[in-house]
Amino acid sequence: MERTFVMVKPDGVQRGLVGEIISRLEKRGYKLIGLKMLRLTPEMAEKHYAEHRGKPFFPGLISYITSGPVVAMVWEGKNVVAAVREMMGATDPQKALPGTIRGTYGIDIGRNVVHGSDSPATAEREINLFFSPEELVTYDRNLDVWIYE
Ligand code: DAT
Ligand code: MG
């Protein structure tokens, strides 16, 4: 099964949106297999956002993402990477469709509440950055027969 890395960003934690974000993914039918709260060090933040190094918004992005605790998660399911991207909405909340997480809870691009991996390859890299293999839990869910045909 495909896996993706999801992170409730510091603004999402401060605003009490952790439960809401987990709830949306749970209700959709995706399976939570890893979860932790942590505060990113600048080193870890720069690794996570390495592709954006050198861009004008990079320093602000690093200070925002390290400004408070985040909730890091691994979710599993069919096409979960693309599905989470759709459920989050566009990077800029002003452009995110109503009903998406960012389109419901966000206004500014630099406070867009949530992160989700943009491809299966990125997901693998991000999962490995945040979680050791022992921290990911594999388990059977009896309700899967009611979610997958
Ligand atoms: P996403 O988080 O949707 O994968 P991204 O990887 O392009 O978007 O950028 C990472 C984060 O950086 C994004 O969530 C918010 C910030 N960001 C991206 N583009 C920006 C811009 N033009 N101005 C300010 N912040 C930006
Ligand atoms: Mg990205």
Side-chain angles (χ1 to χ4, degrees):
M1 268 299 186
E2 192 171 279
R3 292 175 173 182
T4 196
F5 175 71
V6 177
M7 178 167 66
V8 183
K9 295 180 175 182
D11 50 332
V13 173
Q14 292 291 331
R15 293 174 57 195
L17 297 173
V18 173
E20 168 69 19
I21 290 165
I22 290 175
S23 185
R24 285 180 175 223
L25 300 179
E26 275 186 323
K27 286 179 194 160
R28 181 84 188 265
Y30 294 112
K31 185 158 116 180
L32 183 60
I33 61 162
L35 175 81
K36 66 168 91 166
M37 187 178 227
L38 73 160
R39 184 159 175 175
L40 272 69
T41 61
E43 294 71 33
M44 197 162 170
E46 286 178 22
K47 263 193 196 167
H48 176 68
Y49 282 126
E51 63 171 310
H52 299 301
R53 193 186 298 270
K55 294 181 185 171
F57 61 83
F58 188 73
L61 176 61
I62 298 304
S63 75
Y64 154 61
I65 209 70
T66 57
S67 66
V70 299
V71 172
M73 297 175 271
V74 179
W75 288 85
E76 196 175 76
K78 190 191 283 181
N79 290 324
V80 68
V81 172
V84 166
R85 294 288 294 188
E86 281 189 350
M87 292 170 76
M88 289 196 310
T91 303
D92 181 352
Q94 303 271 327
K95 298 185 179 124
L97 292 176
T100 61
I101 297 168
R102 287 163 168 172
T104 304
Y105 300 111
I107 296 174
D108 272 352
I109 192 169
R111 299 288 185 275
N112 64 1
V113 179
V114 67
H115 169 87
S117 310
D118 62 10
S119 73
T122 305
E124 197 183 330
R125 185 181 74 76
E126 293 176 345
I127 290 167
N128 290 331
L129 180 61
F130 281 81
F131 290 88
S132 63
E134 317 84 69
E135 289 175 317
L136 300 180
V137 184
T138 39
Y139 58 99
D140 289 328
R141 251 185 357 180
N142 291 334
L143 63 75
D144 275 346
V145 295
W146 302 107
I147 294 169
Y148 294 104
E149 61 183 12

